[in-house]
């Protein structure tokens, strides 16, 4: 089987509500999505998606995905998409780094490989759990009242897991954490996501002020050096996501004991092939996981769900469904959707969901 054509679409995905990170420092309203269709000489078509969370969040850039694919496409055309490692090496040789530009191609190849094997991607990767995965909300809010309102909006849709964005003024952060914990329902999973918003000193101030609550913090500081510097000075479990980009990051975090949880974002780490290695590092070191798309449509959510299904139930805290934050649906309601706050693995071979191509507009590029 050979890759014969790569078609690239650019789609804007507006957010239903303006979204604030780092206590209001960063605002997001529209996501720049790249959808990739890979065709083969066997008549099997695969779909991939790469949707960074805006341009200001981390070094990942929507137009950069399309530019990266332009550079990599000549090296990927003609390869067997079922040989995902060959495709990965070809992309890494053609364009070192730029992992976020590679994930849509990797995803489309896994979609094709699954269809060719007549297996959902998770089963092709070695076996997928059918235990529905809780969906974590994404609570971007600035104050206590707005935080309560956003969490209640998610609870009304069945959500039992919440990622509450903090990382601004530390006094306000402490007040918001205490309020959320005070109103927390039995069995709810809550992660406090700082998104790198604190200095080392600010992190230690909030973590020690909230030590009695025994809550999880995600990415409290900018870098792994910062997280290493405060490790041992606080008692809170830490998740790392923005600083978990490469396999070398994963091995450093595991070896040096910098986190108890990996937040694996498929687009950021370069797709399923690379993320599966991080999963194995985590499992080998007693590290639990959240698995998410960086953003995007139901396609991106489904890719993350497949990886989550390959993680033992006890080690996978939650996934994310960015689709619930968008005003457009490029797949007409198909694919895994929120059922009582959970996503269910599709049984269809491959990814298990395709977009409506006529909702994507004209292609941004076609490579043959
Ligand atoms: Mg995060």
């Amino acid at each position: 089987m050979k890759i014969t054509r790569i078609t690239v679409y650019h789609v804007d995905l507006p957010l239903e509500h303006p979204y604030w990170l780092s206590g209001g420092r960063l605002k997001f309203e529209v996501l720049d999505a790249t959808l990739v269709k890979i065709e083969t000489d066997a008549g099997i078509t695969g779909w991939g998606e790469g949707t960074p969370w805006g341009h200001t969040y981390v070094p990942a850039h929507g137009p950069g995905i399309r530019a990266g694919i332009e550079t990599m496409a000549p090296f990927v055309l003609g390869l067997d998409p079922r040989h995902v490692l060959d495709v990965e090496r070809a992309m890494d040789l053609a364009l070192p780094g730029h992992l976020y530009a590679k994930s849509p191609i990797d995803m489309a190849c896994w979609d094709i490989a699954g269809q060719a094997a007549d297996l959902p991607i998770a089963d092709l990767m070695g076996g997928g759990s059918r235990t529905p995965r809780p969906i974590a909300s994404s609570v971007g809010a600035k104050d206590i009242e707005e935080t309560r309102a956003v969490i209640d909006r998610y609870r009304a849709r069945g959500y039992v897991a919440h990622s509450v964005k903090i990382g601004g003024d530390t006094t306000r952060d402490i007040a918001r954490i205490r309020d959320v914990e005070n109103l927390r329902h039995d069995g709810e999973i809550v992660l406090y996501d700082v998104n790198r918003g604190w200095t080392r000193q600010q992190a230690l101030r909030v973590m020690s002020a909230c030590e009695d609550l025994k809550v999880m913090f995600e990415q409290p500081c900018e870098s792994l050096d910062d997280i290493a510097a405060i490790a041992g000075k606080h008692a809170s479990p830490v998740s790392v996501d923005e600083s978990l980009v490469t396999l070398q990051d994963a091995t450093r975090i595991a070896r040096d004991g910098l986190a108890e949880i990996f937040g694996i974002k498929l687009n950021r780490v370069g797709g399923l092939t690379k993320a599966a290695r991080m999963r194995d590092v985590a499992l080998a070191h007693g590290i639990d996981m959240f698995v998410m798309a960086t953003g995007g449509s139901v396609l991106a959510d489904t890719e993350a769900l497949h990886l989550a299904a390959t993680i033992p139930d006890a080690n996978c805290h939650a996934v994310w469904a960015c689709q619930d934050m968008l005003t457009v649906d490029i797949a007409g309601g198909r694919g895994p959707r929120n059922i009582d706050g959970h996503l269910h693995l599709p049984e269809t071979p491959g990814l298990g969901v395709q977009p409506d191509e006529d909702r994507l507009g004209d292609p941004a590029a076609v490579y043959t």
Side-chain angles (χ1 to χ4, degrees), residues 57 163 165 191 193-195 218-219 241-242 265 268 292:
Y57 170 43
S163 175
K165 308 305 175 186
L191 175 74
D193 189 355
V194 188
N195 286 295
E218 186 163 87
Q219 193 77 38
D241 64 344
E242 283 100 326
K265 295 242 170 82
R268 174 176 309 143
M292 290 152 278

PDB file of all heavy atoms in Angstrom, residues 57 163 165 191 193-195 218-219 241-242 265 268 292, ligand 1:
ATOM      1  N   TYR A  57      -0.093  30.152  23.300  1.00  0.00           N
ATOM      2  CA  TYR A  57      -0.066  29.218  24.440  1.00  0.00           C
ATOM      3  C   TYR A  57       1.300  28.550  24.572  1.00  0.00           C
ATOM      4  O   TYR A  57       1.968  28.663  25.598  1.00  0.00           O
ATOM      5  CB  TYR A  57      -1.201  28.215  24.249  1.00  0.00           C
ATOM      6  CG  TYR A  57      -1.228  27.034  25.165  1.00  0.00           C
ATOM      7  CD1 TYR A  57      -0.976  27.166  26.530  1.00  0.00           C
ATOM      8  CD2 TYR A  57      -1.532  25.770  24.677  1.00  0.00           C
ATOM      9  CE1 TYR A  57      -1.021  26.054  27.359  1.00  0.00           C
ATOM     10  CE2 TYR A  57      -1.585  24.672  25.498  1.00  0.00           C
ATOM     11  CZ  TYR A  57      -1.317  24.816  26.843  1.00  0.00           C
ATOM     12  OH  TYR A  57      -1.363  23.721  27.651  1.00  0.00           O
ATOM     13  N   SER A 163     -10.831  20.412  34.895  1.00  0.00           N
ATOM     14  CA  SER A 163      -9.505  21.028  34.892  1.00  0.00           C
ATOM     15  C   SER A 163      -9.720  22.522  35.074  1.00  0.00           C
ATOM     16  O   SER A 163     -10.162  23.217  34.157  1.00  0.00           O
ATOM     17  CB  SER A 163      -8.788  20.728  33.571  1.00  0.00           C
ATOM     18  OG  SER A 163      -7.565  21.419  33.515  1.00  0.00           O
ATOM     19  N   LYS A 165      -8.556  26.188  35.500  1.00  0.00           N
ATOM     20  CA  LYS A 165      -7.393  26.981  35.128  1.00  0.00           C
ATOM     21  C   LYS A 165      -7.144  28.064  36.171  1.00  0.00           C
ATOM     22  O   LYS A 165      -8.016  28.908  36.429  1.00  0.00           O
ATOM     23  CB  LYS A 165      -7.602  27.612  33.747  1.00  0.00           C
ATOM     24  CG  LYS A 165      -8.009  26.607  32.665  1.00  0.00           C
ATOM     25  CD  LYS A 165      -7.035  25.447  32.535  1.00  0.00           C
ATOM     26  CE  LYS A 165      -7.537  24.408  31.549  1.00  0.00           C
ATOM     27  NZ  LYS A 165      -6.668  23.203  31.506  1.00  0.00           N
ATOM     28  N   LEU A 191      -8.476  18.814  38.758  1.00  0.00           N
ATOM     29  CA  LEU A 191      -7.065  19.127  38.543  1.00  0.00           C
ATOM     30  C   LEU A 191      -6.960  20.647  38.456  1.00  0.00           C
ATOM     31  O   LEU A 191      -7.752  21.279  37.745  1.00  0.00           O
ATOM     32  CB  LEU A 191      -6.616  18.490  37.227  1.00  0.00           C
ATOM     33  CG  LEU A 191      -5.203  18.775  36.739  1.00  0.00           C
ATOM     34  CD1 LEU A 191      -4.187  17.994  37.574  1.00  0.00           C
ATOM     35  CD2 LEU A 191      -5.060  18.375  35.275  1.00  0.00           C
ATOM     36  N   ASP A 193      -4.986  23.547  37.025  1.00  0.00           N
ATOM     37  CA  ASP A 193      -4.020  23.688  35.941  1.00  0.00           C
ATOM     38  C   ASP A 193      -3.480  25.115  35.913  1.00  0.00           C
ATOM     39  O   ASP A 193      -4.209  26.064  35.609  1.00  0.00           O
ATOM     40  CB  ASP A 193      -4.710  23.342  34.614  1.00  0.00           C
ATOM     41  CG  ASP A 193      -3.727  23.250  33.470  1.00  0.00           C
ATOM     42  OD1 ASP A 193      -2.534  23.541  33.687  1.00  0.00           O
ATOM     43  OD2 ASP A 193      -4.162  22.897  32.356  1.00  0.00           O
ATOM     44  N   VAL A 194      -2.210  25.244  36.240  1.00  0.00           N
ATOM     45  CA  VAL A 194      -1.588  26.564  36.355  1.00  0.00           C
ATOM     46  C   VAL A 194      -1.092  27.060  34.987  1.00  0.00           C
ATOM     47  O   VAL A 194      -0.868  28.252  34.789  1.00  0.00           O
ATOM     48  CB  VAL A 194      -0.427  26.513  37.385  1.00  0.00           C
ATOM     49  CG1 VAL A 194       0.120  27.900  37.668  1.00  0.00           C
ATOM     50  CG2 VAL A 194      -0.879  25.850  38.676  1.00  0.00           C
ATOM     51  N   ASN A 195      -0.913  26.144  34.058  1.00  0.00           N
ATOM     52  CA  ASN A 195      -0.445  26.530  32.718  1.00  0.00           C
ATOM     53  C   ASN A 195       0.811  27.411  32.776  1.00  0.00           C
ATOM     54  O   ASN A 195       0.905  28.403  32.056  1.00  0.00           O
ATOM     55  CB  ASN A 195      -1.552  27.236  31.929  1.00  0.00           C
ATOM     56  CG  ASN A 195      -2.622  26.274  31.454  1.00  0.00           C
ATOM     57  OD1 ASN A 195      -2.365  25.400  30.643  1.00  0.00           O
ATOM     58  ND2 ASN A 195      -3.825  26.426  31.985  1.00  0.00           N
ATOM     59  N   GLU A 218      -1.322  21.113  37.909  1.00  0.00           N
ATOM     60  CA  GLU A 218      -0.691  20.842  36.620  1.00  0.00           C
ATOM     61  C   GLU A 218       0.192  22.008  36.207  1.00  0.00           C
ATOM     62  O   GLU A 218      -0.228  23.161  36.264  1.00  0.00           O
ATOM     63  CB  GLU A 218      -1.756  20.592  35.540  1.00  0.00           C
ATOM     64  CG  GLU A 218      -1.135  20.161  34.206  1.00  0.00           C
ATOM     65  CD  GLU A 218      -2.152  19.522  33.285  1.00  0.00           C
ATOM     66  OE1 GLU A 218      -2.828  20.260  32.547  1.00  0.00           O
ATOM     67  OE2 GLU A 218      -2.283  18.281  33.315  1.00  0.00           O
ATOM     68  N   GLN A 219       1.388  21.649  35.780  1.00  0.00           N
ATOM     69  CA  GLN A 219       2.377  22.590  35.230  1.00  0.00           C
ATOM     70  C   GLN A 219       2.407  23.886  36.049  1.00  0.00           C
ATOM     71  O   GLN A 219       2.073  24.977  35.561  1.00  0.00           O
ATOM     72  CB  GLN A 219       2.052  22.898  33.763  1.00  0.00           C
ATOM     73  CG  GLN A 219       3.175  23.612  33.032  1.00  0.00           C
ATOM     74  CD  GLN A 219       4.345  22.718  32.621  1.00  0.00           C
ATOM     75  OE1 GLN A 219       4.165  21.581  32.231  1.00  0.00           O
ATOM     76  NE2 GLN A 219       5.558  23.244  32.710  1.00  0.00           N
ATOM     77  N   ASP A 241       2.380  18.962  31.658  1.00  0.00           N
ATOM     78  CA  ASP A 241       1.927  18.829  30.264  1.00  0.00           C
ATOM     79  C   ASP A 241       2.685  19.741  29.298  1.00  0.00           C
ATOM     80  O   ASP A 241       3.330  19.270  28.380  1.00  0.00           O
ATOM     81  CB  ASP A 241       0.403  18.940  30.113  1.00  0.00           C
ATOM     82  CG  ASP A 241      -0.167  20.287  30.509  1.00  0.00           C
ATOM     83  OD1 ASP A 241       0.525  21.080  31.186  1.00  0.00           O
ATOM     84  OD2 ASP A 241      -1.324  20.562  30.151  1.00  0.00           O
ATOM     85  N   GLU A 242       2.701  21.060  29.511  1.00  0.00           N
ATOM     86  CA  GLU A 242       3.426  21.920  28.562  1.00  0.00           C
ATOM     87  C   GLU A 242       4.907  21.555  28.460  1.00  0.00           C
ATOM     88  O   GLU A 242       5.509  21.726  27.409  1.00  0.00           O
ATOM     89  CB  GLU A 242       3.293  23.405  28.943  1.00  0.00           C
ATOM     90  CG  GLU A 242       1.952  24.022  28.592  1.00  0.00           C
ATOM     91  CD  GLU A 242       1.056  24.100  29.797  1.00  0.00           C
ATOM     92  OE1 GLU A 242       1.116  23.197  30.664  1.00  0.00           O
ATOM     93  OE2 GLU A 242       0.274  25.065  29.901  1.00  0.00           O
ATOM     94  N   LYS A 265      -0.491  15.448  25.507  1.00  0.00           N
ATOM     95  CA  LYS A 265      -1.299  16.139  24.493  1.00  0.00           C
ATOM     96  C   LYS A 265      -0.817  15.662  23.128  1.00  0.00           C
ATOM     97  O   LYS A 265       0.323  15.912  22.729  1.00  0.00           O
ATOM     98  CB  LYS A 265      -1.122  17.647  24.628  1.00  0.00           C
ATOM     99  CG  LYS A 265      -1.666  18.185  25.967  1.00  0.00           C
ATOM    100  CD  LYS A 265      -2.794  19.165  25.733  1.00  0.00           C
ATOM    101  CE  LYS A 265      -3.520  19.541  27.003  1.00  0.00           C
ATOM    102  NZ  LYS A 265      -2.856  20.573  27.775  1.00  0.00           N
ATOM    103  N   ARG A 268       0.803  18.082  20.562  1.00  0.00           N
ATOM    104  CA  ARG A 268       2.074  18.643  21.045  1.00  0.00           C
ATOM    105  C   ARG A 268       3.217  17.646  20.909  1.00  0.00           C
ATOM    106  O   ARG A 268       4.339  18.023  20.554  1.00  0.00           O
ATOM    107  CB  ARG A 268       1.938  19.072  22.508  1.00  0.00           C
ATOM    108  CG  ARG A 268       3.254  19.524  23.115  1.00  0.00           C
ATOM    109  CD  ARG A 268       3.063  20.032  24.522  1.00  0.00           C
ATOM    110  NE  ARG A 268       1.997  21.021  24.536  1.00  0.00           N
ATOM    111  CZ  ARG A 268       1.124  21.164  25.514  1.00  0.00           C
ATOM    112  NH1 ARG A 268       1.198  20.411  26.581  1.00  0.00           N
ATOM    113  NH2 ARG A 268       0.181  22.061  25.445  1.00  0.00           N
ATOM    114  N   MET A 292      -5.073  13.968  26.102  1.00  0.00           N
ATOM    115  CA  MET A 292      -5.923  14.971  25.466  1.00  0.00           C
ATOM    116  C   MET A 292      -5.406  15.322  24.093  1.00  0.00           C
ATOM    117  O   MET A 292      -4.213  15.185  23.819  1.00  0.00           O
ATOM    118  CB  MET A 292      -5.913  16.259  26.294  1.00  0.00           C
ATOM    119  CG  MET A 292      -6.620  16.160  27.603  1.00  0.00           C
ATOM    120  SD  MET A 292      -5.916  17.306  28.811  1.00  0.00           S
ATOM    121  CE  MET A 292      -4.510  16.397  29.387  1.00  0.00           C
TER     122      MET A 292
HETATM  123 MG1  LIG B   1      -2.669  21.803  31.223  1.00  0.00          MG
END
